[in-house]
Amino acid sequence: MSEEKDLTTDLAIRYIAENYTPVGDSEKKDYITSADIVRELSEMITISIAQVTELMDKAGYKTEFIAGKPHWVVYDK
């Protein structure tokens, strides 16, 4: 079971790193929720919102609240 969790985590980290960066030019700035990332990953892996939140936090992404909901500040690559 631990190997499966490690694989899930590795795939999620790779996906996030390939698509987003925590810093960048303002014209590439975007917002995404943990739930959005879970949906994007849903065809590849099963991961929880809590797991995505932990990975994004560890990777140095900041949050901003939009309409009372936390959104990750990401920059498109």
Side-chain angles (χ1 to χ4, degrees):
M1 189 67 142
S2 180
E3 284 183 37
E4 184 177 322
K5 183 178 179 183
D6 290 345
L7 179 59
T8 296
T9 300
D10 289 346
L11 289 172
I13 289 169
R14 191 173 314 141
Y15 177 85
I16 292 165
E18 287 177 2
N19 290 283
Y20 308 109
T21 181
V23 294
D25 298 327
S26 59
E27 64 268 4
K28 292 186 175 186
K29 185 177 184 180
D30 202 0
Y31 300 93
I32 192 165
T33 66
S34 293
D36 292 331
I37 296 170
V38 168
R39 276 191 291 281
E40 289 176 0
L41 290 168
S42 68
E43 290 188 27
M44 296 182 286
I45 58 173
T46 300
I47 191 167
S48 71
I49 291 172
Q51 288 172 298
V52 168
T53 299
E54 183 180 333
L55 293 175
M56 294 293 282
D57 190 48
K58 284 183 179 179
Y61 289 87
K62 305 295 180 211
T63 56
E64 290 183 16
F65 284 82
I66 300 172
K69 284 181 63 177
H71 286 70
W72 295 106
V73 177
V74 297
Y75 297 85
D76 295 326
K77 286 191 166 185

